[in-house]
């Protein structure tokens, strides 16, 4: 272990749960008579005590100090704040996106390619109780003229043949990347399978995970074979081939589903789902609505079918591949925070039980990405919490009926639009 410098010690103190703004340190909260989804199972009619931004006790006999604000949970379910395991913040609206996310119960976003703007936000988002927390890939790995260089924005470094892969990966880690994202997309020039293997080796040497963009089954197979830790999308070009799911399971990958965006890409109906979600629509801001009303260009994804993606998620899930709820917001037709609720519903449609779908947005991403401070309701974890009416372990759409959102034990005032 490297010795900690005084500066590092000071920094770790300010990032630690011991350091909280005054209004958080004093807050004592108690949820009583509440059903708790703890990240993997339901605990009926119990109590949860929160102090100083952390969960201090869970159980039927929790002692509630007289100073506590007591919240009656009768008929309600308390859940860990949700993850969205595939998002983008862009270069200008990141802060607003993280606020939108929190409005809908998402307390942690995992960005899957970003800019210097998100690298800066990453430093403040953790302790800010008005926006979701953030972990990120930063600048990912692509080749000159590769995806997403066609999308414009600020220029960023790319990996050319013969470049030192370790130096490239180390530069990303030095910039602040929490994990490494590779773009493997044959609609454009793209990395070779050898380069994927080299990036995986370079990242693993530094204890960093590697996630990869793929958009078809054959690329998914290549990427898994090359040793990546996770797929950042499921494919929708074909039904899963015989043995694909078992192959993925043997290689211990996780899969971020992004069904919400695949639905938007393939949507041909008249009325998108969110127009029929009365618990959500009052909280949709004008900028979210613009994103929801955007459409992919005509013909984009013409060969894709949502049912292929759902079948693949179902098959992977049946053989034990961890499925993570992620949306790829703000792709056209999606919006930060809101789209997670649709993702959960589509995961249930793919064959996950509601309990498993809820785990895919809480415990599973925490486990896959190595967060030990969140994703569950248990003593000693961050009090990032969502309280909803009803029982989402029976009807997954109950996640939409949000009573309250807390980050670090501080109630987030959801603005009604
Ligand atoms: Zn993406």
């Amino acid at each position: 272990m490297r010795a900690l410098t005084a500066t590092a010690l000071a920094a770790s103190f300010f990032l630690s749960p011991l350091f909280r703004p005054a209004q958080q340190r004093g807050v004592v909260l108690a949820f009583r008579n509440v059903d708790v989804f703890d990240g993997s199972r339901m605990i009926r009619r119990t109590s949860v005590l929160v102090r100083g931004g952390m969960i201090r006790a869970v159980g039927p006999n929790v002692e509630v100090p007289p100073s506590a604000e007591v919240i009656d949970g009768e008929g309600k379910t308390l859940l860990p704040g949700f993850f969205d395991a595939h998002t983008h913040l862009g270069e200008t609206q990141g802060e607003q996106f993280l606020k939108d996310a929190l409005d809908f119960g998402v307390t942690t976003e995992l960005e899957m390619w970003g800019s210097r703007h998100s690298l800066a936000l990453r430093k403040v988002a953790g302790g800010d109780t008005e926006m979701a927390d953030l972990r990120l890939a930063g600048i990912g790995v692509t080749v000159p003229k590769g995806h997403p260089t066609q999308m414009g924005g600020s220029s960023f470094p790319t990996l050319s043949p013969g470049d030192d892969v370790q130096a490239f990966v180390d530069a990303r880690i030095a910039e602040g990347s929490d994990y490494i994202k590779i773009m493997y997309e044959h609609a454009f020039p793209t990395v070779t399978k050898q380069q994927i293997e080299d990036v995986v080796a370079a990242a693993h040497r530094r204890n960093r995970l590697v996630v990869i963009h793929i958009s078809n089954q054959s690329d998914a197979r290549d990427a898994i074979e090359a040793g990546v830790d996770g797929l950042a999308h499921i494919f929708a070009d074909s039904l899963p081939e015989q043995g694909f799911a078992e192959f993925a399971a043997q290689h211990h990958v996780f899969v971020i589903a992004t069904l919400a965006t695949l639905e938007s890409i393939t949507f041909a109906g008249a009325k998108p789902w969110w127009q029929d979600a009365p618990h959500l629509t009052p909280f949709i801001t004008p900028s979210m609505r613009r994103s929801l009303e955007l459409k992919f260009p005509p013909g984009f994804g013409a060969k894709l079918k949502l049912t292929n993606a759902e079948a693949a998620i179902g098959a992977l899930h049946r053989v034990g591949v961890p499925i993570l709820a992620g949306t790829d917001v703000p792709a056209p037709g999606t919006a930060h925070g809101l789209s997670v609720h649709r993702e959960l519903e589509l995961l249930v449609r793919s064959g996950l039980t509601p309990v498993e779908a809820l785990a895919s947005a809480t415990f599973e991403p925490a486990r896959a990405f190595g967060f030990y401070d969140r994703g569950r309701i248990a003593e000693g974890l961050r009090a990032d919490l969502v309280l909803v009416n009803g029982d989402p372990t029976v009807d997954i759409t109950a996640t939409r009926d949000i009573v309250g959102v807390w980050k670090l034990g501080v109630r987030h005032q959801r603005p009604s639009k």
Side-chain angles (χ1 to χ4, degrees):
M1 260 305 178
R2 182 171 57 89
L4 284 172
T5 63
T7 325
L9 275 173
S12 66
F13 172 73
F14 286 106
L15 294 170
S16 84
L18 298 172
F19 179 78
R20 297 273 178 257
Q23 90 273 12
Q24 283 164 249
R25 258 177 282 151
V27 173
V28 185
L29 269 178
F31 297 88
R32 285 237 281 243
N33 302 319
V34 73
D35 287 345
V36 168
F37 174 74
D38 73 350
S40 47
R41 71 198 169 104
M42 195 68 145
I43 307 167
R44 299 285 173 190
R45 287 193 80 80
T46 191
S47 297
V48 174
L49 184 73
V50 169
R51 193 177 57 242
M54 311 296 281
I55 298 163
R56 302 295 177 178
V58 182
N61 303 315
V62 164
E63 224 175 284
V64 176
S67 64
E69 179 196 341
V70 176
I71 294 156
D72 180 29
E74 184 75 49
K76 301 180 175 66
T77 304
L78 189 68
L79 307 110
F82 300 126
F83 278 84
D84 186 334
H86 187 146
T87 76
H88 301 280
L89 297 179
E91 295 188 26
T92 54
Q93 299 176 81
E95 198 169 332
Q96 187 58 51
F97 286 153
L98 292 177
K99 287 179 191 227
D100 293 344
L102 199 58
D103 284 352
F104 292 89
V106 172
T107 51
T108 305
E109 286 202 356
L110 305 181
E111 197 190 29
M112 287 294 153
W113 186 295
S115 64
R116 290 176 206 290
H117 177 64
S118 23
L119 286 162
L121 265 178
R122 155 83 168 85
K123 297 196 172 86
V124 295
D128 189 323
T129 54
E130 288 306 308
M131 63 172 100
D133 197 2
L134 173 67
R135 293 294 183 282
L136 43 73
I139 311 297
V141 183
T142 194
V143 299
K145 297 202 160 51
H147 183 53
T149 58
Q150 83 286 1
M151 295 172 88
S154 305
S155 65
F156 47 80
T158 53
L159 188 69
S160 295
D163 281 359
D164 182 338
V165 172
Q166 188 71 58
F168 190 92
V169 166
D170 287 350
R172 304 290 79 74
I173 294 171
E175 284 165 356
S177 296
D178 295 294
Y179 38 84
I180 302 298
K181 166 89 181 279
I182 303 175
M183 287 295 187
Y184 193 43
E185 176 52 71
H186 285 100
F188 301 90
T190 195
V191 290
T192 63
K193 217 173 142 186
Q194 184 62 52
Q195 280 174 314
I196 300 175
E197 283 177 28
D198 294 345
V199 169
V200 168
H204 286 180
R205 215 169 275 133
R206 304 290 186 250
N207 286 320
R208 291 302 202 280
L209 294 179
V210 176
V211 287
I212 193 162
H213 162 102
I214 53 90
S215 64
N216 63 56
Q217 182 160 196
S218 126
D219 288 354
R221 206 173 247 279
D222 278 359
I224 293 169
E225 215 159 50
V228 301
D229 300 290
L231 304 184
H233 297 280
I234 191 57
F235 51 83
D237 65 311
S238 51
L239 285 167
E241 284 158 11
Q242 192 73 34
F244 173 81
E246 291 76 7
F247 173 76
Q250 282 154 11
H251 285 79
H252 303 289
V253 290
F254 60 81
V255 174
I256 305 170
T258 66
L259 297 173
T261 285
L262 291 168
E263 179 184 45
S264 172
I265 292 173
T266 55
F267 186 70
K271 198 178 189 191
W273 73 275
W274 52 270
Q275 289 181 4
D276 250 338
H279 292 302
L280 297 174
T281 45
F283 301 97
I284 295 175
T285 64
S287 71
M288 288 173 70
R289 183 173 290 270
R290 280 194 292 281
S291 182
L292 289 165
E293 285 173 350
L294 280 178
K295 292 193 165 53
F296 279 90
F300 185 92
K303 295 191 183 114
L304 306 183
K305 282 197 186 119
L306 182 61
T307 47
N308 289 341
E310 290 173 338
I313 290 298
L316 289 163
H317 174 65
R318 278 194 296 280
V319 298
V321 172
I323 304 298
L324 277 51
T327 57
D328 207 7
V329 289
T334 69
H336 282 262
L338 179 97
S339 292
V340 163
H341 298 273
R342 182 58 170 177
E343 186 74 26
L344 291 171
E345 193 182 7
L346 294 173
L347 288 171
V348 169
R349 220 164 77 178
S350 303
L352 278 70
T353 65
V355 162
E356 292 163 346
L358 294 169
S360 81
T362 54
F363 174 65
E364 292 293 355
R367 179 163 66 171
F369 281 85
F371 291 102
Y372 302 105
D373 63 345
R374 66 192 73 189
R376 291 178 294 130
I377 293 182
E379 196 184 319
L381 271 71
R382 290 169 62 104
D384 294 350
L385 302 165
V386 185
L387 185 67
V388 303
N389 282 317
D391 184 352
T393 67
V394 174
D395 173 6
I396 194 67
T397 63
T399 62
R400 300 170 181 185
D401 193 357
I402 295 174
V403 177
V405 178
W406 289 260
K407 188 177 169 198
L408 287 170
V410 177
R411 189 172 191 145
H412 169 63
Q413 296 302 329
R414 300 176 77 208
S416 176
K417 305 304 170 330

